[in-house]
Amino acid sequence: MEYSSKLIEEAVNEIARLPGIGKKTALRLALHLLRQPESQTEALSESLLNLRNKIRYCTVCQNISDDELCRICSSTRRDRSIICLVEDTRDVLAIENTSQFNGLYHVLGGVISPIEGIGPSDLHIDALVSRLEDHKGEVNEVILALSPTMEGDTTAFYLMKRLKPFGLKISTIARGIPIGGELEYADEITLGRSIQTRTLYQQD
Amino acid sequence: MEYSSKLIEEAVNEIARLPGIGKKTALRLALHLLRQPESQTEALSESLLNLRNKIRYCTVCQNISDDELCRICSSTRRDRSIICLVEDTRDVLAIENTSQFNGLYHVLGGVISPIEGIGPSDLHIDALVSRLEDHKGEVNEVILALSPTMEGDTTAFYLMKRLKPFGLKISTIARGIPIGGELEYADEITLGRSIQTRTLYQQD
């Protein structure tokens, strides 16, 4: 497509690099911004730059954070005896949204996937083990809230072995979520109930 | 939804102000940017700011432009005897994409719509009339490439009356485009053919 303006061409190309956004949608968004006050584009650009440049990762749970400790880890109202293991930040948000969990989280940063070349050392598993060693006696349950896919199951199996020495109660969220589905797209009620009816993790 | 970071919350809120993008998609886009190099977010922000702050409108055709004259109006290879009237920039791009038109454009900036309170004075129609007066003898055909909606028809009818004194050939793109459809979503072949088989505009 040939644009009458290099400025619009560059903006469209940059917007279209985002996942799920093609050139036509990018053009529609760019033209929309042109019709809005300048302040909106400025606020958008600034918030993206701020996010990218200032974001940090919580030194305890590895969730995205504004400070050294995230809002959840630094809260005094959370139950520190229970840690919920999730793949990424979106899963933390999804579970927080259900209001069914008041413990802490640990963000693994993905799941073990030999096909994509992601092994245990690419995830924040060592950080979890150190965390459990540092807080021995304080933590007594770990919930595996991983997506019910083959990679999620592999990761759960691996974690089970690594966490065994700590003698903790290890549970998984109930399989109310359809097999093969993504955790973040589950509805709140299903996801909330699956936290409540979590079952002991059985290694067979 | 409660976010663990104010930075992500602000970014999600700003992204979700764009049309057709909800909070979940906004979060997905924000987290995507976090996984990419900083340079991508910087390029995106810069291109949006550049677009919004530096964009100009061609003083001749009112299309968006980087300079006083747009690329098309300043080209020496375009046929200056024929002007295609369109609603907005996206229509220019759609027609350019067909490679079936080598004349100039005039962007009206919308169509007459009494319901939305848009009258002829809100469109670049006076600018068109001045343009035709300035280039008397040079222009001999005007194509009305408006969406085949009631508003488009009303606008075409009004333009027909305003342009009559100039004694130009006035044509409309062929109605191969489905009635009620939007010009910008037409496929290239239909749109291209509708330019080739344009018919004389009949005022009945």
Side-chain angles (χ1 to χ4, degrees), chain A residues 145-148 173-187 190-192 194-195:
Chain A
L146 305 175
S147 290
I173 55 170
R175 293 289 171 108
I177 300 164
I179 303 297
E182 297 267 281
L183 205 78
E184 58 167 315
Y185 295 115
D187 66 274
T190 309
L191 190 57
S194 71
I195 295 246

Side-chain angles (χ1 to χ4, degrees), chain B residues 141 160 168-172 197-203:
Chain B
E141 181 174 356
M160 187 69 192
L168 303 164
K169 182 175 162 191
I170 300 181
S171 54
T172 63
T197 63
R198 61 187 182 268
T199 53
L200 279 170
Y201 188 72
Q202 305 280 2
Q203 195 171 5

Side-chain angles (χ1 to χ4, degrees), chain B residues 67-120:
Chain B
D67 302 297
E68 208 185 313
L69 279 185
C70 75
R71 281 188 195 177
I72 295 169
C73 285
S74 58
S75 166
T76 55
R77 279 173 298 178
R78 310 288 301 209
D79 179 356
R80 302 188 163 267
S81 69
I82 181 162
I83 296 178
C84 183
L85 306 191
V86 293
E87 287 172 43
D88 66 25
T89 296
R90 284 182 288 185
D91 300 332
V92 173
L93 282 168
I95 293 174
E96 283 296 286
N97 234 15
T98 68
S99 312
Q100 297 288 335
F101 179 69
N102 193 39
L104 303 178
Y105 292 93
H106 195 87
V107 176
L108 297 172
V111 279
I112 296 169
S113 170
I115 293 167
E116 292 178 51
I118 302 170

Side-chain angles (χ1 to χ4, degrees), chain A residues 64 89-90 93 184, chain B residues 1 3 8 12 15 21-32:
Chain A
I64 53 171
T89 296
R90 283 182 290 185
L93 283 167
E184 58 167 315
Chain B
M1 209 184 282
Y3 301 93
I8 197 111
V12 166
I15 299 172
I21 296 186
K23 295 247 167 161
K24 276 206 173 181
T25 303
L27 178 63
R28 193 164 53 80
L29 297 179
L31 293 176
H32 171 82

Side-chain angles (χ1 to χ4, degrees), chain B:
Chain B
M1 209 184 282
E2 220 199 308
Y3 301 93
S4 64
S5 150
K6 218 179 156 48
L7 293 169
I8 197 111
E9 184 172 356
E10 282 168 2
V12 166
N13 287 341
E14 285 300 329
I15 299 172
R17 288 176 70 185
L18 294 171
I21 296 186
K23 295 247 167 161
K24 276 206 173 181
T25 303
L27 178 63
R28 193 164 53 80
L29 297 179
L31 293 176
H32 171 82
L33 285 176
L34 281 179
R35 283 192 299 270
Q36 303 301 311
E38 280 185 28
S39 58
Q40 183 172 341
T41 307
E42 280 158 12
L44 173 62
S45 295
E46 203 185 307
S47 68
L48 294 181
L49 285 174
N50 270 340
L51 172 68
R52 190 64 188 82
N53 296 331
K54 294 189 190 160
I55 202 81
R56 297 167 68 174
Y57 293 87
C58 176
T59 51
V60 171
C61 74
Q62 316 294 331
N63 192 8
I64 54 171
S65 171
D66 298 343
D67 302 297
E68 208 185 313
L69 279 185
C70 75
R71 281 188 195 177
I72 295 169
C73 285
S74 58
S75 166
T76 55
R77 279 173 298 178
R78 310 288 301 209
D79 179 356
R80 302 188 163 267
S81 69
I82 181 162
I83 296 178
C84 183
L85 306 191
V86 293
E87 287 172 43
D88 66 25
T89 296
R90 284 182 288 185
D91 300 332
V92 173
L93 282 168
I95 293 174
E96 283 296 286
N97 234 15
T98 68
S99 312
Q100 297 288 335
F101 179 69
N102 193 39
L104 303 178
Y105 292 93
H106 195 87
V107 176
L108 297 172
V111 279
I112 296 169
S113 170
I115 293 167
E116 292 178 51
I118 302 170
S121 61
D122 298 311
L123 307 177
H124 302 301
I125 294 177
D126 289 338
L128 171 67
V129 170
S130 316
R131 182 180 173 183
L132 290 172
E133 277 164 358
D134 292 348
H135 296 271
K136 230 166 190 167
E138 195 179 323
V139 181
N140 53 46
E141 181 174 356
V142 166
I143 305 177
L144 306 179
L146 305 175
S147 289
T149 58
M150 207 159 71
E151 289 80 9
D153 287 345
T154 307
T155 311
F157 187 78
Y158 177 84
L159 284 167
M160 187 69 192
K161 283 204 292 184
R162 283 291 296 272
L163 301 182
K164 208 167 190 181
F166 292 97
L168 303 164
K169 182 175 162 191
I170 300 181
S171 54
T172 63
I173 55 170
R175 292 288 171 108
I177 301 164
I179 304 297
E182 297 268 277
L183 205 76
E184 57 169 318
Y185 296 116
D187 65 275
E188 288 168 35
I189 293 164
T190 310
L191 189 57
R193 185 165 303 172
S194 71
I195 294 242
Q196 283 180 319
T197 63
R198 61 187 182 268
T199 53
L200 279 170
Y201 188 72
Q202 305 280 2
Q203 195 171 5
D204 36 33

